[in-house]
Amino acid sequence: MNKKPSLRKRIGLELFRLMRKNNVRTHELNTLFWECTLRCNIACRHCGSDCRAATGQSDMPIADFMNVIEQITPHVNPNRTMIIFTGGEALVRKDIEACGIELYRRGFPWGIVTNGLALTRKRLDSLLAAGLHSITVSLDGFEKAHNWLRRHPKSYANALNAVRMLVAEKEIIWDVVTCVNRQNITELPAFKQFLTDNGVQRWRIFTIFPVGRAAQFPELQLTDEEFTLTLDFIRATRREGKINLNYGCEGFLGNYEMEVRDQFYHCNAGVNVASVLADGSISACPSIRANFNQGNIYRDNFIDVWNNRFAPFRNREWARKGQCADCAMFRYCEGNGMHLHDDSGNLLVCHYRRIMS
C-alpha cells in the first residue's frame, strides 16, 4: 500500500486545513481538563508526569477551580463545554462528586479519566448521582501485560470490574483506552475479541511516547514495523465494524488518515482544549511540558489568557525546523502533537516518518 496520502485524501486534507484555520481563528473552548491531583494509587511505567502516592503539590481546592468556571461561563455554551477530571488519579480525591454537582448545576457536562483501581460499585453510583456524563477506563491488555505496565497486582482485576459495571450503564458515554507496547502488541486480536465479548463498544488505542518514566523503559516503544502493524490492525478492526476503535490524537498518519480515526489528524491543544494544572498553571493538554504553560489562575484571569495568549499553539510555524523543516506534510500535521515536543520545542517522534520507514 502507498503510505503517502492519495490524491483523493490530499483533497480532503486541504479542505480540512481550511476548516482548521477558521477553528484556530475562533478558538472556541469546548474541552477543559482539570488536573485535580498529582496523587496516584499506582505507579505506571509509562507515566509522563511521574505521579506518585504522595506528592509535594497539594490538591487544588474545589473553590479555586470553580473560580475558573465562573470566569469562562459568560463566554462559552456550558452544554457544549466538557470538563474532564484527570490527574494523577482523579478518584483518589473524595470530593469529586461535590465539584461534579456544582458543574452539573451550571449545565457543564463532566467526565473522568481513571485507571479503574478505585472505581467500586458504591463510588460509581455516587459519581452518577453527581451527574457524571462520561468516563474513560484504562485497560492495557490481559492481566500479565496490564499489571506489568501499571505495576499493581490488583490493577487488572479492578479495571476489568469497572468496565463490566459500565457495560450495564446506558445513560453515560464511556470507553476503554489501551496503551500499546511491546508487551501487549501480539495480544491485540485476542484482546479485541475479549472486549467485544464483554460488551465494550468504544475502544481507543494509544502508543507511548518517551517522556517521564516511559523514557526509562525501551520496551514500551514500538519498532517502526510494529507501529505500522498496529495501524493495520486498527484499520482492519474498523472495517470489520464489531467495535468502534480509534487511534489516539497523536500524530499525522499519511494515507492512514480517516482510516484509523473518525477524523483527520489535528492537535486541538490550545485551540479548543485547555487545562488547569494542579499548581494553577493554565495550559492546553495536560500532557504538554510546563514550558508551554500560558499563565496561572492565581495571578491571571483564565478567559483573558485563553483569548490573548496560546500563540505557540495557534501558529505552529515555530515547529518548522529539524526534521519538519522541509517536509511536504507540515501543512497538514504542523509538527505533530504539542505533547511530542521537548523542552526546546524539538520534535521527539514523527509518526509519518515511522510509517514511511
Side-chain angles (χ1 to χ4, degrees):
M1 173 188 171
N2 181 10
K3 297 171 184 175
K4 294 182 179 179
S6 63
L7 176 60
R8 180 178 179 183
K9 204 150 288 183
R10 288 286 285 265
I11 293 171
L13 285 164
E14 288 293 339
L15 292 173
F16 184 80
R17 183 169 172 265
L18 294 175
M19 295 171 56
R20 172 75 173 169
K21 282 187 173 182
N22 184 64
N23 194 26
V24 170
R25 181 182 60 81
T26 58
H27 53 266
E28 178 183 348
L29 180 64
N30 58 33
T31 304
L32 178 61
F33 286 91
W34 180 27
E35 188 182 58
C36 62
T37 184
L38 287 181
R39 293 181 293 135
C40 192
N41 47 14
I42 55 179
C44 303
R45 294 180 193 273
H46 65 303
C47 182
S49 57
D50 196 26
C51 298
R52 52 184 65 86
T55 171
Q57 177 64 55
S58 300
D59 294 350
M60 180 183 294
I62 289 176
D64 295 356
F65 180 68
M66 291 308 300
N67 283 339
V68 174
I69 297 300
E70 294 299 327
Q71 290 169 18
I72 71 171
T73 298
H75 305 277
V76 303
N77 179 343
N79 299 142
R80 295 174 55 185
T81 308
M82 185 72 186
I83 312 299
I84 302 175
F85 296 80
T86 186
E89 168 54 42
L91 292 183
V92 302
R93 288 191 64 146
K94 305 303 181 185
D95 56 358
I96 290 296
E97 291 87 343
C99 187
I101 288 171
E102 291 303 314
L103 292 170
Y104 182 77
R105 286 174 178 167
R106 291 164 171 80
F108 287 91
W110 63 275
I112 290 178
V113 178
T114 179
N115 59 40
L117 187 67
L119 192 62
T120 62
R121 180 72 254 179
K122 181 179 180 181
R123 191 72 196 271
L124 178 57
D125 288 342
S126 178
L127 293 166
L128 291 170
L132 178 69
H133 178 82
S134 70
I135 186 167
T136 291
V137 177
S138 296
L139 192 61
D140 300 298
F142 295 110
E143 185 168 16
K144 181 179 179 181
H146 177 95
N147 285 351
W148 174 83
L149 184 63
R150 299 288 167 173
R151 298 203 292 193
H152 192 292
K154 295 183 179 179
S155 180
Y156 175 80
N158 288 21
L160 180 57
N161 181 62
V163 168
R164 287 173 169 163
M165 287 190 297
L166 290 168
V167 167
E169 298 298 331
K170 307 303 181 185
E171 301 301 320
I172 61 171
I173 300 168
W174 65 276
D175 65 353
V176 167
V177 165
T178 299
C179 291
V180 177
N181 58 80
R182 304 199 75 186
Q183 295 288 324
N184 64 9
I185 184 172
T186 59
E187 297 179 345
L188 286 178
F191 190 58
K192 174 191 69 175
Q193 189 62 50
F194 176 76
L195 293 178
T196 303
D197 290 347
N198 276 274
V200 176
Q201 297 181 4
R202 298 179 183 88
W203 185 23
R204 278 184 294 158
I205 279 179
F206 285 82
T207 45
I208 298 170
F209 49 100
V211 172
R213 289 190 203 131
Q216 304 170 27
F217 299 98
E219 61 266 49
L220 294 175
Q221 311 303 316
L222 299 179
T223 66
D224 292 347
E225 180 182 8
E226 289 169 334
F227 178 68
T228 304
L229 287 172
T230 300
L231 296 180
D232 288 338
F233 167 79
I234 296 171
R235 181 175 58 194
T237 299
R238 288 170 61 85
R239 289 174 177 173
E240 188 180 47
K242 293 182 179 179
I243 188 170
N244 182 2
L245 174 59
N246 276 273
Y247 181 62
C249 55
E250 294 182 31
F252 178 74
L253 300 172
N255 211 34
Y256 285 100
E257 288 295 322
M258 290 298 291
E259 296 185 18
V260 295
R261 284 185 288 240
D262 291 340
Q263 67 284 317
F264 285 116
Y265 165 73
H266 55 285
C267 179
N268 270 338
V271 176
N272 302 114
V273 177
S275 63
V276 175
L277 304 184
D279 65 354
S281 294
I282 300 171
S283 185
C285 168
S287 298
I288 296 171
R289 283 171 170 70
N291 58 329
F292 286 103
N293 291 350
Q294 299 297 299
N296 192 289
I297 66 167
Y298 294 114
R299 64 172 183 268
D300 301 304
N301 179 280
F302 181 93
I303 204 66
D304 287 344
V305 173
W306 177 252
N307 285 330
N308 300 308
R309 301 186 194 176
F310 284 91
F313 297 87
R314 296 169 189 169
N315 183 349
R316 300 283 293 276
E317 281 300 311
W318 60 266
R320 197 190 288 269
K321 59 183 179 179
Q323 58 187 307
C324 297
D326 56 357
C327 180
M329 296 298 110
F330 185 86
R331 66 191 288 108
Y332 307 128
C333 83
E334 297 183 316
N336 248 21
M338 286 289 291
H339 67 290
L340 295 174
H341 291 263
D342 65 17
D343 291 336
S344 300
N346 298 312
L347 184 62
L348 295 169
V349 179
C350 174
H351 292 65
Y352 184 64
R353 286 178 183 264
R354 296 183 74 187
I355 63 176
M356 296 298 291
S357 64

